Amino acid sequence: MAAKPRQKQAEMAAATIDMIGEDLLHNILSKLPAVECAAAACVSRSWNLIITRLLSLPNLSSSLSRNHNLQITCRFGSRIPVITSISQGIFGKDANINEFEEVQWDTFEDDEAHEDLGIENQGVLLTVGFLSGLTVDLIPLSKTQGNQVLMIDDLVLSIREHSSSHSGSASPMGILLFSDEDTDIKPVLEKLDYAFSTETVIVGDGGSQFLYRGDTAINRSNNKASSSAAVALLFSTDRGKPPGVGETQFHVMLSTGISPIGPAYKAVSVRERPKDYSTWLTAKREAVRESLDGQTILDQIYDELGGHINCPALYVGVTKRRKCSIGQEKPSWINMHEFHEVLRGDEEYLYVHGVGIRSGDSFQFYQAKSDLARVSCNHVSNSFRHLKQDLNYQSDDHTNGNGLDMHNKKSVFGGIMFACCGRGKLFFGEPNVDGSPFLENFPGVTFSGTYCAGEIARGDLSSYGQGSQEHSSVRCCLHVFSTVYLVMSYTPALPQH
């Protein structure tokens, strides 16, 4: 009998609090820790509806610290997939000063000569997320036969199997890929791009060291006894998600930093050097019979640039036509574009980094340019502005502090960038240029990133100003001197009646 008056008092108190309005109550309840928030859902039906909606919202949190000895992963449950990437630098909001900072590792041999550049040597970036309506799996890329052969088909088939079991579709929503620095990730990206729908987002770091922890153990990719050359964080739509859970979506933008120069060439004589992972080649200009040595080719390019000193970073972009298949499937022809750094040239050969070039492949030289990268960043910023308009993005006054709208509107709740380690403060002459497109358009929304030695983003050559029908069919998934932006948005579920 005594319980009924107390229950009635609680119901009256809840009803009184409900009178303050749903928006204010939403803000109050959102401040509670998750456990206490879940317990409060038992107070009343209106509280239950609000808290259910709160706990189903996606969340991305990130913080940067200069203390590189933090012990973090022990705080996560054993079933939480964790990837630790040893990158070339980090970008994020500093936990102490609450401001965004760009921290790149010192790679100079003479540290004292570069003290004035403000280059750092240590730091940790932690990014943790919950993505509503998606399932997450961690799938490694294995190696066999003395760690020499990549089991790419097995990776593709595993991704298809996991995605199908969760979503009913063999193509997942997204793949976040981290590759070991000693792994040639290009053939992996070639098959991933071939195997999955163009709707599948694939981004990541194509040249780092990493650790990962799945359901059972931690794997160290930089350990020679390890059998993992890369690891994929797989995001699939959850067809079994509870009612009231909305839809998380991925959006990818690319800021380029290189432009084509000079004429097109065709490889004539090609010699691969797997030992030092390089290729020696001679070439000719297209429609010209004469074969050219490396020094002659470079002299032509330097003439285009006005001298050797005007070319700090030079690449060849090679267009390749190859057959591709998965398992026992019938092979199909694909066209792809890959970048190779130019090492040097002499009176015999042009020497480039990497392998996989064949006689008859066409290529063109590309130069890294900071002014071009700035223009490209501006284009990305404009694209973000249009994305805001499309999503009916609300100001901070109408969001829950993580960018999420309280009035059932589509909203951006987080972003991650993968930037080339050649960009940053030294490339642009000032910090935070790469992060500015996101920060200017989505203030207050979680954003972080790393600096890479190979930025992954599947697409075609349209981002490089080559928009012809011919170039639109040529795929390019591994970039240089670029910045890749992965933006996450959320569309709430329609109200239930």
Side-chain angles (χ1 to χ4, degrees):
M1 297 293 292
K4 288 186 177 180
R6 286 199 296 270
Q7 182 179 354
K8 188 173 183 179
Q9 289 176 358
E11 291 174 352
M12 292 177 61
T16 302
I17 295 176
D18 286 347
M19 294 175 62
I20 65 177
E22 182 178 335
D23 286 354
L24 184 55
L25 183 59
H26 184 288
N27 279 337
I28 294 172
L29 294 174
S30 68
K31 307 298 182 185
L32 293 175
V35 175
E36 285 77 3
C37 188
C42 302
V43 171
S44 69
R45 178 175 295 181
S46 61
W47 282 36
N48 185 278
L49 290 173
I50 294 173
I51 290 172
T52 298
R53 189 162 65 242
L54 272 173
L55 295 180
S56 67
L57 291 176
N59 203 320
L60 192 73
S61 298
S62 183
S63 189
L64 181 153
S65 174
R66 300 297 180 87
N67 180 2
H68 66 292
N69 292 317
L70 296 176
Q71 299 297 317
I72 298 172
T73 57
C74 60
R75 296 179 179 268
F76 299 124
S78 59
R79 298 184 62 185
I80 304 298
V82 177
I83 298 176
T84 302
S85 172
I86 305 174
S87 66
Q88 304 292 320
I90 52 180
F91 178 90
K93 182 175 285 190
D94 192 292
N96 293 319
I97 63 176
N98 202 35
E99 293 182 0
F100 281 92
E101 286 201 283
E102 179 182 277
V103 183
Q104 290 180 272
W105 314 144
D106 186 349
T107 58
F108 295 105
E109 295 181 3
D110 185 359
D111 294 342
E112 294 183 0
H114 297 89
E115 287 181 350
D116 60 324
L117 296 177
I119 305 297
E120 302 290 343
N121 279 307
Q122 62 186 30
V124 172
L125 175 70
L126 174 65
T127 301
V128 182
F130 163 69
L131 305 185
S132 301
L134 300 182
T135 64
V136 182
D137 294 289
L138 193 151
I139 305 176
L141 169 63
S142 300
K143 295 185 288 188
T144 60
Q145 297 182 8
N147 286 344
Q148 297 299 315
V149 179
L150 298 177
M151 306 298 289
I152 306 175
D153 284 8
D154 287 353
L155 173 67
V156 171
L157 295 174
S158 293
I159 292 175
R160 285 177 174 176
E161 179 183 351
H162 280 77
S163 179
S164 296
S165 65
H166 293 304
S167 67
S169 170
S171 289
M173 173 173 286
I175 299 172
L176 195 58
L177 188 66
F178 293 87
S179 166
D180 183 78
E181 60 186 351
D182 295 326
T183 297
D184 184 2
I185 198 64
K186 292 192 292 294
V188 180
L189 295 174
E190 170 190 320
K191 288 209 173 187
L192 291 177
D193 186 59
Y194 167 81
F196 297 112
S197 162
T198 55
E199 301 300 317
T200 298
V201 166
I202 303 176
V203 298
D205 183 344
S208 65
Q209 298 179 48
F210 63 86
L211 316 176
Y212 72 83
R213 185 188 72 182
D215 290 339
T216 57
I218 293 179
N219 186 296
R220 301 175 180 270
S221 74
N222 56 334
N223 185 333
K224 292 185 178 179
S226 168
S227 61
S228 294
V231 62
L233 199 59
L234 175 67
F235 300 93
S236 304
T237 301
D238 184 6
R239 59 182 172 181
K241 66 181 180 181
V245 175
E247 180 182 1
T248 297
Q249 292 181 306
F250 295 149
H251 315 266
V252 177
M253 308 288 179
L254 176 69
S255 168
T256 59
I258 58 175
S259 63
I261 54 174
Y265 293 85
K266 183 167 290 188
V268 176
S269 173
V270 178
R271 294 178 59 188
E272 286 190 351
R273 303 276 294 183
K275 185 176 181 180
D276 59 3
Y277 194 57
S278 67
T279 297
W280 303 3
L281 58 88
T282 62
K284 65 178 182 179
R285 287 195 178 194
E286 292 191 346
V288 177
R289 291 185 177 181
E290 181 184 3
S291 181
L292 305 174
D293 61 61
Q295 189 60 58
T296 301
I297 295 172
L298 287 182
D299 286 343
Q300 292 177 352
I301 298 302
Y302 295 148
D303 288 342
E304 294 272 353
L305 296 171
H308 183 282
I309 195 170
N310 295 321
C311 188
L314 196 63
Y315 296 83
V316 292
V318 184
T319 301
K320 308 176 181 181
R321 180 173 170 81
R322 304 285 191 269
K323 280 189 174 182
C324 189
S325 64
I326 304 297
Q328 301 300 316
E329 298 174 4
K330 182 180 178 181
S332 297
W333 287 101
I334 60 172
N335 299 313
M336 54 192 165
H337 194 81
E338 296 175 355
F339 293 103
H340 298 259
E341 183 180 5
V342 175
L343 303 176
R344 61 189 177 90
D346 60 22
E347 295 180 354
E348 286 190 274
Y349 296 104
L350 176 70
Y351 303 88
V352 300
H353 182 259
V355 296
I357 304 174
R358 296 179 185 174
S359 177
D361 289 342
S362 62
F363 65 88
Q364 190 169 11
F365 283 83
Y366 286 76
Q367 178 194 18
K369 300 175 66 176
S370 60
D371 55 347
L372 171 70
R374 281 184 181 272
V375 171
S376 186
C377 279
N378 290 334
H379 289 162
V380 171
S381 185
N382 290 334
S383 297
F384 285 158
R385 194 170 300 114
H386 292 308
L387 177 62
K388 282 200 305 183
Q389 296 170 355
D390 292 341
L391 297 176
N392 295 317
Y393 182 84
Q394 300 292 304
S395 67
D396 289 342
D397 293 338
H398 298 88
T399 60
N400 71 346
N402 198 30
L404 285 173
D405 178 58
M406 301 189 315
H407 303 289
N408 295 320
K409 296 281 184 71
K410 300 178 182 180
S411 303
V412 167
F413 67 89
I416 299 174
M417 81 172 187
F418 298 92
C420 175
C421 58
R423 292 174 59 129
K425 187 185 302 183
L426 297 183
F427 186 60
F428 291 108
E430 60 178 309
N432 301 345
V433 174
D434 286 310
S436 60
F438 188 95
L439 299 178
E440 291 170 358
N441 285 284
F442 305 108
V445 178
T446 298
F447 183 62
S448 62
T450 63
Y451 286 90
C452 315
E455 312 83 60
I456 297 171
R458 70 186 304 204
D460 54 36
L461 291 182
S462 59
S463 297
Y464 294 90
Q466 298 172 311
S468 67
Q469 184 67 32
E470 177 186 355
H471 286 117
S472 65
S473 65
V474 179
R475 307 295 293 171
C476 184
C477 296
L478 187 64
H479 307 269
V480 293
F481 272 88
S482 68
T483 298
V484 176
Y485 303 86
L486 173 65
V487 179
M488 291 163 270
S489 68
Y490 180 70
T491 302
L494 294 175
Q496 297 179 342
H497 299 288

